[in-house]
């Protein structure tokens, strides 16, 4: 989703802004732009539809030079991707602004501004923000005061970076509902939507809090909280290196991230197990008390993270006996759900900034304990939760989530074990599960090094328009995730069903043009999955089955292609089985020639509704 970069320095900031935009490409966008205050104290701006490279090419032709500037990648919400809708937006050649979020009362503000003689050049909600700031700047003569007054008029979410021609060497940054960090350099400051944009120039960051406004010059940084008081915000050192976001030897980030999974899964376990037991404190100091008292769990998440939650429900209810609901955040936040006493709300999120998940969490107020499973330590979800578990997957750049998902599953497995300890789950079973978890990285390595067969299967999917995925038990959410991956990066329409539901409708679709991808482990459901596959084969369908190597599938015949997977326990199967499905989608996408890492229309971090 939209990305912001800004800089105030003594040097020309254009290359820094451009590199920052490149590093934010993974968030998803459809146009990009830069504006700087040039040495003659005028605003120069270049905007382009399409990739950051198109912007870079234009900058070769028309270089921009200036030591104060803002830049943006836009993911269209209000108005199509076009040069006039791209940010930065400028008012009267005086103020330039970049915005992430949505100004919900933009129509009302636009009407008032038009009545006041402001001229609009875009269809965006953002343009009202720049006009409103220019309006107050004319009245007050001070950019900080102008931004402070303007944001009071905004309903909705925003992160803003603002510069003004009459105040070169100064930038105002503020956030409410959308993330923004300040990078602290030596005699220079930067802003960005996330730290990865700024890693080449600094590793010292301040994470602005809701409602903060920062007044930034080369010599000083003053942060005001939402009440207008000057506040000190801690500078945090990032342990990410600038090349933490490099592709290395891999053709795509997605492939790199698929291959990182064995290591990432080991990292999730690191320091969280002692003598075969999960350490409750891994979730925070109050975790034991919460795990002891909770009576129900409500999981809230979106997209791939929601699928992780669906797997966890199977684990939590079957193994710990604690009732568990799972819901997508965009529904949960609006439907006035009933929350029983002693509920633990678990949010799952790679980014920790997903607008719907955050709104759902905020809607709960203090009616429940809140635990977040997340990959970004400084994110809003983490900061607003009582308990947390970091998934430690490192930056995930491919829009289609892979390592973030498997590490979420491992985190949820630890949660299940920690809660189970307080619920009479016997020690032998707990130890066996942990033992099996330690085996996972090796088993996944084996799958990764034997991907030829998956590649061959991908050939059969290059020219199809639709596919079905099926699974049972914990592998039903994995079928959902497999279908989502295929949709996301190959643009093939894919739906997933619990295998037992096929005959209640989807089986009507089966013919020789609609392949089915099935997953079956040794979890007691295998014979039932086999029967469902027989039903598909009997109707002329072709099946691609990922199955436990110990299962005999020979009776299914030639139209059921089988890829054996390492024998794993039923609990571990979801973490193992999602990996070949990730590879499968990847190989299909490669054959289709799609933009694997930045698929069309998708955003990595969905910070608006
Ligand atoms: C977007 C991403 C998905 C992700 C979902 C939830 O749709 O493209 O990969 O699963 O948001 O994001 P979160 O950061 O909350 O896990």
């Amino acid at each position: 989703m939209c990305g912001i970069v800004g800089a105030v320095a003594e040097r020309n900031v254009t290359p820094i802004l451009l590199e920052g935009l490149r590093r934010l490409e993974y968030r998803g966008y459809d146009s990009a732009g830069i504006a700087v205050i040039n040495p003659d104290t005028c605003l120069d701006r270049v905007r382009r539809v399409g990739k950051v490279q198109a912007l870079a090419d234009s900058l070769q032709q028309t270089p921009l030079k200036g030591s104060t500037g803002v830049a943006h990648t836009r993911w269209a919400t209000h108005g199509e991707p076009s040069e006039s809708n791209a940010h930065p937006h400028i008012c009267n050649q005086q103020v330039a602004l970049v915005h992430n979020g949505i100004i919900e009362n933009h129509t009302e503000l636009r009407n008032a501004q038009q009545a006041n003689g402001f001229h609009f050049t875009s269809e965006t909600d953002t343009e009202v923000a720049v006009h409103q700031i220019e309006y107050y700047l004319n009245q007050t003569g001070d950019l900080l005061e102008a931004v402070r007054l303007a944001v009071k008029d905004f309903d909705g979410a925003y992160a803003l970076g603002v510069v003004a021609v009459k105040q070169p060497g100064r930038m105002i940054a503020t956030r409410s509902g959308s993330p923004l960090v300040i990078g602290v350099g030596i005699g220079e400051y930067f802003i960005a939507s996330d730290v990865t944009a700024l890693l080449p120039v600094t590793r010292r960051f301040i994470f602005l809090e809701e409602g903060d406004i920062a007044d930034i010059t080369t010599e000083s940084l003053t942060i005001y909280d939402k009440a207008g008081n000057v506040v000190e915000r801690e500078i945090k050192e990032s342990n990410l290196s600038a090349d933490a976001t490099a592709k290395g030897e891999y053709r795509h980030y997605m492939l790199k991230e698929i291959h990182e999974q064995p290591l990432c899964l080991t990292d999730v376990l690191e320091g969280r197990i002692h003598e075969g037991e999960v350490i409750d404190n891994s979730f925070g100091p109050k975790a034991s008390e919460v795990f002891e008292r909770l009576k129900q769990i409500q999981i809230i998440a979106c997209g791939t993270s929601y699928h992780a939650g669906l797997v966890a429900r199977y684990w939590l209810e079957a193994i710990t006996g604690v009732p568990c609901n799972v819901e997508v955040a965009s529904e949960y936040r609006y439907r006035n759900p009933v929350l029983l006493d002693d509920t633990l709300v678990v949010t799952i999120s790679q980014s920790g900034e997903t607008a719907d998940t955050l709104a759902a969490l905020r809607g709960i107020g203090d009616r429940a304990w809140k635990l977040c499973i997340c990959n970004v330590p400084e994110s809003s979800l983490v900061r607003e939760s009582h308990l947390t578990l970091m998934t430690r997957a490192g930056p995930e750049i491919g829009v289609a989530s892979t390592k973030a998902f498997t590490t979420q599953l491992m985190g949820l497995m630890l949660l299940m074990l920690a809660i189970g300890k307080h619920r009479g789950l016997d020690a032998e079973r707990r130890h066996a599960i942990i033992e099996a978890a330690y085996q996972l990285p090796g088993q996944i390595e084996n799958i990764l090094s034997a991907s030829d067969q998956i590649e061959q299967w991908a050939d059969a999917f290059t020219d199809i328009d639709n596919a079905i995925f099926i699974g049972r038990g914990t592998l039903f959410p994995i079928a959902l995730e497999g279908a989502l991956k295929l949709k996301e990066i190959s643009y093939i329409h894919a739906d997933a069903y619990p295998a037992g539901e096929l005959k209640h409708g989807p089986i009507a679709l089966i013919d020789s043009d609609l392949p089915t991808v099935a997953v079956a482990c040794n979890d007691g459901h295998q014979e039932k999955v086999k029967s469902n596959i027989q039903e598909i084969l009997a109707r002329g369908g072709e099946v691609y089955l990922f199955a436990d190597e110990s299962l005999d599938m020979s009776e299914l015949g030639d139209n059921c292609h089988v890829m054996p997977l390492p024998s794993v326990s039923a609990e571990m199967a979801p973490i193992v089985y999602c990996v070949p499905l990730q590879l499968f989608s990847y190989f299909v996408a490669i054959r289709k020639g799609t933009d694997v890492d930045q698929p069309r229309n998708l955003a990595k971090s969905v910070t608006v509704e």
Side-chain angles (χ1 to χ4, degrees):
M1 205 137 270
C2 303
I4 286 177
V5 195
V8 181
E10 300 289 350
R11 52 180 163 158
N12 176 20
V13 296
T14 308
I16 298 171
L17 298 178
L18 192 61
E19 175 61 17
L21 292 187
R22 286 190 200 285
R23 291 170 160 266
L24 292 178
E25 283 192 288
Y26 79 96
R27 294 168 70 90
Y29 71 103
D30 34 51
S31 56
I34 288 189
V36 295
I37 301 175
N38 70 25
D40 300 327
T41 335
C42 297
L43 275 171
D44 281 340
R45 169 176 69 177
V46 177
R47 298 177 291 175
R48 286 293 172 266
V49 175
K51 295 287 175 189
V52 171
Q53 187 54 45
L55 180 69
D57 292 344
S58 300
L59 289 170
Q60 286 274 331
Q61 313 284 318
T62 330
L64 298 190
K65 206 166 168 216
S67 54
T68 306
V70 286
H72 192 264
T73 47
R74 172 175 185 255
W75 188 85
T77 58
H78 296 63
E80 60 175 6
S82 67
E83 219 163 285
S84 55
N85 286 334
H87 303 212
H89 287 284
I90 289 181
C91 181
N92 295 338
Q93 281 306 310
Q94 291 301 311
V95 178
L97 161 150
V98 287
H99 167 224
N100 187 1
I102 291 177
I103 310 286
E104 288 178 358
N105 58 338
H106 65 101
T107 308
E108 188 188 317
L109 288 169
R110 181 181 273 251
N111 292 340
Q113 291 169 352
Q114 275 170 336
N116 276 335
F118 282 95
H119 172 62
F120 279 77
T121 58
S122 81
E123 305 151 279
T124 63
D125 57 314
T126 298
E127 201 177 349
V128 299
V130 75
H131 292 328
Q132 203 71 353
I133 291 168
E134 159 70 355
Y135 171 77
Y136 286 120
L137 184 60
N138 273 330
Q139 290 192 346
T140 63
D142 180 65
L143 188 59
L144 173 68
E145 205 43 38
V147 173
R148 208 200 297 269
L149 290 167
V151 296
K152 286 195 182 136
D153 297 334
F154 302 158
D155 290 339
Y158 55 80
L160 298 174
V162 192
V163 297
V165 159
K166 291 208 177 103
Q167 301 180 18
R170 188 182 193 193
M171 176 168 56
I172 306 297
T174 181
R175 65 156 285 189
S176 177
S178 293
L180 198 64
V181 299
I182 296 177
V184 180
I186 299 167
E188 50 190 16
Y189 289 98
F190 313 93
I191 60 166
S193 301
D194 67 49
V195 299
T196 55
L198 301 177
L199 288 171
V201 283
T202 186
R203 284 170 62 184
R204 299 170 72 222
F205 294 98
I206 293 171
F207 296 85
L208 288 182
E209 296 195 5
E210 283 293 277
D212 279 358
I213 301 187
D215 186 357
I216 306 166
T217 69
T218 46
E219 289 106 44
S220 67
L221 166 69
T222 313
I223 300 176
Y224 302 85
D225 66 11
K226 60 174 157 234
N229 303 313
V230 173
V231 280
E232 285 293 322
R233 299 274 181 241
E234 193 188 341
I235 298 179
K236 306 225 165 133
E237 191 94 18
S238 168
N239 54 13
L240 293 174
S241 65
D243 61 7
T245 54
K247 254 198 311 243
E249 72 201 63
Y250 292 95
R251 183 167 163 197
H252 292 102
Y253 282 108
M254 183 181 178
L255 189 61
K256 174 181 178 236
E257 288 155 6
I258 289 173
H259 279 264
E260 281 173 348
Q261 291 177 108
L263 200 59
C264 295
L265 288 169
T266 310
D267 287 346
V268 185
L269 297 173
E270 179 67 34
R272 287 165 172 166
I273 312 284
H274 180 64
E275 295 181 349
E277 295 287 0
V278 176
I279 303 166
D280 284 358
N281 266 10
S282 311
F283 297 87
K286 290 247 159 72
S288 296
E289 187 190 325
V290 174
F291 296 161
E292 191 66 38
R293 284 179 48 194
L294 67 88
K295 295 206 181 83
Q296 168 178 272
I297 294 171
Q298 173 67 56
I299 297 178
I300 305 170
C302 299
T304 290
S305 300
Y306 167 69
H307 294 157
L310 289 177
V311 172
R313 175 170 58 189
Y314 283 90
W315 285 336
L316 283 159
E317 294 210 338
I319 301 175
T320 70
V322 179
C324 178
N325 292 315
V326 190
E327 192 161 338
V328 286
S330 53
E331 285 302 311
Y332 189 88
R333 64 180 286 194
Y334 287 119
R335 71 170 182 87
N336 298 325
V338 175
L339 264 178
L340 301 178
D341 287 346
D342 298 320
T343 295
L344 173 65
V345 168
V346 177
T347 54
I348 309 170
S349 175
Q350 188 285 127
S351 62
E353 300 291 353
T354 301
D356 283 321
T357 313
L358 195 52
L361 185 78
R362 287 179 179 159
I364 285 159
D366 53 10
R367 291 179 294 146
W369 296 297
K370 299 166 182 174
L371 184 152
C372 181
I373 305 238
C374 192
N375 192 33
V376 181
E378 300 303 335
S379 62
S380 303
L381 279 172
V382 168
R383 281 189 271 156
E384 296 184 28
S385 299
H386 305 116
L387 304 174
T388 53
L389 187 85
M390 288 308 119
T391 49
R392 301 171 177 166
E396 189 179 64
I397 306 296
V399 165
S401 189
T402 53
K403 62 176 180 173
F405 178 62
T406 39
T407 52
Q408 285 168 351
L409 288 177
M410 189 63 109
L412 288 160
M413 169 83 70
L414 296 184
L415 179 65
M416 180 270 285
L417 287 166
I419 293 173
K421 198 169 50 179
H422 294 267
R423 302 280 145 161
L425 176 65
D426 71 77
E428 206 177 317
R429 179 112 190 257
R430 298 199 301 264
H431 295 164
I433 293 174
I434 286 173
E435 202 44 50
Y438 278 117
Q439 307 302 319
L440 279 179
Q443 286 155 335
I444 291 175
E445 284 289 3
N446 290 342
I447 294 175
L448 293 173
S449 59
S451 59
D452 297 6
Q453 187 176 348
I454 307 177
E455 254 193 287
Q456 282 165 22
W457 282 8
D459 288 333
F461 280 66
T462 316
D463 295 320
I464 59 151
D465 296 323
N466 301 290
I468 281 183
F469 285 64
I470 57 168
R472 279 177 180 261
T474 53
L475 292 190
F476 164 53
I478 296 307
L480 283 170
E481 176 59 11
L484 179 66
K485 286 285 89 78
L486 193 66
K487 275 186 282 226
E488 284 179 316
I489 60 168
S490 76
Y491 315 147
I492 292 172
H493 171 245
D495 266 336
Y497 300 98
E501 270 297 294
L502 264 191
K503 57 173 79 69
H504 298 292
I507 203 162
L509 300 170
I510 298 293
D511 62 19
S512 56
D513 293 331
L514 180 70
T516 301
V517 177
V519 275
C521 65
N522 203 351
D523 59 357
H525 300 309
Q526 60 270 23
E527 289 308 317
K528 298 201 184 300
V529 179
K530 254 197 211 171
S531 305
N532 300 131
I533 292 174
Q534 296 280 22
E535 289 156 10
I536 295 168
L537 296 170
R539 285 157 183 84
E542 193 143 1
V543 177
Y544 296 81
L545 170 64
F546 295 95
D548 189 301
E549 61 192 1
S550 69
L551 301 176
D552 179 11
M553 297 292 177
S554 54
E555 71 195 74
L556 294 173
D558 290 346
N559 278 348
C560 180
H561 313 273
V562 184
M563 169 152 177
L565 295 183
S567 248
V568 291
S569 66
E571 293 89 19
M572 296 303 139
I575 308 183
V576 171
Y577 279 62
C578 64
V579 176
L581 294 184
Q582 295 165 350
L583 280 173
F584 175 65
S585 297
Y586 175 77
F587 291 133
V588 175
I590 292 292
R591 278 155 182 72
K592 296 204 73 160
T594 57
D595 189 346
V596 171
D597 286 330
Q598 292 162 31
R600 68 184 183 201
N601 304 339
L602 295 182
K604 179 78 185 156
S605 182
V606 181
T607 50
V608 297
E609 241 191 292

